[in-house]
Coordinates of all heavy atoms in Angstrom, one line a residue:
N298 N 97.3 123.3 101.1 CA 98.1 122.1 101.1 C 97.7 121.2 99.9 O 96.5 120.8 99.8 CB 97.9 121.2 102.4 CG 98.9 120.1 102.5 OD1 99.5 119.7 101.5 ND2 99.0 119.5 103.6
I299 N 98.5 121.0 98.9 CA 98.2 120.3 97.7 C 98.7 118.9 97.9 O 99.9 118.6 98.0 CB 98.8 121.0 96.5 CG1 98.3 122.4 96.3 CG2 98.6 120.1 95.2 CD1 99.0 123.2 95.2
K300 N 97.8 117.9 97.9 CA 98.1 116.5 98.0 C 97.5 115.8 96.8 O 96.3 116.0 96.4 CB 97.4 115.9 99.2 CG 98.0 116.4 100.6 CD 97.3 115.7 101.7 CE 97.9 116.2 103.1 NZ 97.1 115.6 104.2
L301 N 98.3 115.0 96.1 CA 97.8 114.3 94.9 C 96.7 113.4 95.1 O 95.9 113.2 94.2 CB 99.0 113.5 94.3 CG 99.9 114.4 93.3 CD1 100.6 115.5 94.1 CD2 100.9 113.5 92.6
D302 N 96.5 112.9 96.3 CA 95.4 112.0 96.6 C 94.1 112.8 96.7 O 93.0 112.3 96.5 CB 95.5 111.2 97.9 CG 96.4 110.0 97.7 OD1 96.2 109.2 96.8 OD2 97.4 109.8 98.5
K303 N 94.2 114.1 96.9 CA 93.0 115.0 96.8 C 92.7 115.5 95.4 O 91.6 115.5 95.0 CB 93.2 116.2 97.8 CG 93.2 115.8 99.3 CD 93.1 117.0 100.2 CE 94.3 118.0 99.9 NZ 94.2 119.2 100.7
T304 N 93.9 116.0 94.8 CA 93.7 116.6 93.5 C 93.3 115.5 92.4 O 92.8 115.8 91.3 CB 94.9 117.2 93.0 OG1 96.0 116.3 92.8 CG2 95.3 118.3 94.0
G305 N 93.6 114.3 92.6 CA 93.4 113.2 91.6 C 94.6 113.1 90.7 O 94.4 112.7 89.5
G306 N 95.8 113.4 91.2 CA 97.0 113.2 90.4 C 97.8 114.4 90.1 O 97.4 115.5 90.5
L307 N 99.0 114.1 89.5 CA 99.9 115.2 89.2 C 99.3 116.2 88.2 O 99.6 117.4 88.3 CB 101.2 114.6 88.6 CG 102.3 115.6 88.3 CD1 102.8 116.3 89.5 CD2 103.5 114.8 87.6
T308 N 98.6 115.9 87.3 CA 98.1 116.7 86.3 C 97.3 117.9 86.9 O 97.6 119.1 86.7 CB 97.1 116.0 85.3 OG1 97.9 114.9 84.7 CG2 96.6 117.0 84.2
E309 N 96.3 117.6 87.8 CA 95.6 118.6 88.4 C 96.4 119.3 89.5 O 96.2 120.5 89.7 CB 94.3 118.1 89.0 CG 93.5 118.9 89.9 CD 92.8 120.1 89.1 OE1 92.8 120.0 87.8 OE2 92.4 121.0 89.7
A310 N 97.3 118.6 90.2 CA 98.1 119.2 91.2 C 99.0 120.3 90.6 O 99.0 121.4 91.3 CB 99.0 118.2 91.9
L311 N 99.5 120.2 89.5 CA 100.4 121.2 88.9 C 99.5 122.4 88.5 O 99.9 123.5 88.8 CB 101.1 120.7 87.7 CG 102.2 119.7 88.0 CD1 102.7 119.1 86.7 CD2 103.3 120.3 88.8
A312 N 98.3 122.1 88.0 CA 97.4 123.3 87.6 C 96.9 124.0 88.8 O 96.8 125.2 88.9 CB 96.3 122.7 86.8
M313 N 96.6 123.2 89.9 CA 96.1 123.8 91.1 C 97.2 124.7 91.8 O 96.9 125.7 92.3 CB 95.6 122.7 92.1 CG 95.1 123.2 93.4 SD 94.6 121.9 94.5 CE 93.9 122.8 95.9
A314 N 98.4 124.2 91.8 CA 99.5 125.1 92.4 C 99.7 126.4 91.6 O 99.9 127.4 92.3 CB 100.8 124.2 92.3

Side-chain angles (χ1 to χ4, degrees):
N298 189 347
I299 298 175
K300 294 178 180 175
L301 273 65
D302 281 312
K303 295 189 301 177
T304 66
L307 179 62
T308 303
E309 175 64 16
L311 292 172
M313 183 180 181

